Amino acid sequence: MFLEIRDLHVKYGNVEALHGVNVTVNQGEIVTILGANGAGKSTTLMAVSGLVKPSQGGIWFEGEPLHKLPSHEVVKRGITQSPEGRRVFGTLTVQENMNLGAFTRKDQAGIRRNLDWIYSLFPRLAERREQLAGTLSGGEQQMLAIGRALMGDPRILLLDEPSLGLAPILVRSIFETVRKINQAGVTVVLVEQNARAALKLATRGYVLEVGNIVMEDTAASLLANPEVQNAYLGGAGA
């Protein structure tokens, strides 16, 4: 199994946020995790990244227990995250943000190839490479957050709410780029409130409600499911 989340429990103090989550991700897939605010979607990604530790269960990547590693070692294994809210370094330039994404790497030629590829995916970033990240638009900052995560040369890219706060035309553009990233060989785990866009992009999906997986299926089946339509897609046939 490529990535396996097994019986994952995560607590914040005395409050349990995840109650035994099970998710599998095969190499080459786009897997989306859907759910309302507070369902535990971001917590799931942060556990994979090593930013929060399980109280029970764990996460395995190609058979290795990720939950025993510090977060920078998870990045070295080829798992990087574009966080919710973008969190770019506003007082640094676009290029400096990109350089930080490659902090675990030593292969300069590979870093250069990565950078050229990312700037081809996001030409706007190439135009603004000397601009301070804090002066970019929301859409440009989202591009930068994804580009910075790609600088780690990931085998798995974790995307947390990439469409948040963006105009619909930008959402389409970001999701089309995610498709290209996947076609280039990067496996994607996508946490997203825009369920329709996520399911149109994904191979498979999971629905998370209050820390529990309540549904899993192919993306096409979830898109056609009346319960999913009513809860996340604005009603039947919407």
Side-chain angles (χ1 to χ4, degrees), residues 59-205:
I59 301 132
W60 285 262
F61 178 49
E62 295 188 320
E64 181 182 15
L66 281 188
H67 52 278
K68 296 186 175 174
L69 300 175
S71 52
H72 65 277
E73 289 293 338
V74 173
V75 173
K76 283 184 182 174
R77 299 301 189 280
I79 299 175
T80 65
Q81 181 166 352
S82 172
E84 182 183 1
R86 307 188 260 280
R87 296 190 201 162
V88 299
F89 297 99
T91 57
L92 301 179
T93 65
V94 166
Q95 183 63 58
E96 286 166 337
N97 270 271
M98 289 290 213
N99 294 345
L100 282 171
F103 79 103
T104 61
R105 299 177 64 186
K106 301 284 185 280
D107 55 321
Q108 293 306 315
I111 291 170
R112 167 52 54 190
R113 276 195 305 275
N114 247 107
L115 190 61
D116 290 345
W117 174 55
I118 294 161
Y119 280 150
S120 74
L121 286 173
F122 298 115
R124 190 83 56 85
L125 293 183
E127 292 164 16
R128 288 162 170 58
R129 66 180 76 190
E130 298 307 323
Q131 196 169 317
L132 292 181
T135 65
L136 300 178
S137 71
E140 290 162 352
Q141 288 190 10
Q142 184 60 66
M143 294 172 196
L144 179 55
I146 295 172
R148 183 180 60 190
L150 289 174
M151 284 298 290
D153 196 22
R155 299 177 66 201
I156 299 180
L157 175 64
L158 309 175
L159 285 176
D160 196 351
E161 301 284 6
S163 79
L164 196 65
L166 300 186
I169 190 163
L170 270 176
V171 173
R172 281 196 293 277
S173 167
I174 292 279
F175 275 66
E176 190 48 50
T177 305
V178 173
R179 191 188 303 279
K180 288 180 188 169
I181 291 165
N182 178 248
Q183 286 167 347
V186 181
T187 302
V188 177
V189 181
L190 172 67
V191 154
E192 182 54 66
Q193 279 193 36
N194 186 334
R196 182 182 311 284
L199 289 170
K200 284 182 175 173
L201 183 68
T203 325
R204 293 186 302 114

Side-chain angles (χ1 to χ4, degrees), residues 3 5 8-10 12 16-23 25 31-52 59 81-85 87 157-164 175 188-196 198-199 204-215 222 228 231-232:
L3 181 70
I5 300 171
L8 183 66
H9 294 247
V10 173
Y12 295 112
E16 189 168 77
L18 299 179
H19 318 298
V21 165
N22 293 288
V23 171
V25 180
V31 171
T32 186
I33 302 174
L34 307 174
N37 262 338
K41 305 185 303 295
S42 293
T43 298
T44 303
L45 288 195
M46 288 195 293
V48 175
S49 292
L51 297 170
V52 296
I59 301 132
Q81 181 166 352
S82 172
E84 182 183 1
R87 296 190 201 162
L157 175 64
L158 309 175
L159 285 176
D160 196 351
E161 301 284 6
S163 79
L164 196 65
F175 275 66
V188 177
V189 181
L190 172 67
V191 154
E192 182 54 66
Q193 279 193 36
N194 186 334
R196 182 182 311 284
L199 289 170
R204 293 186 302 114
Y206 292 82
V207 178
L208 194 58
E209 285 182 5
V210 211
N212 293 291
I213 298 286
V214 295
M215 211 179 290
L222 288 172
V228 174
Y232 302 104

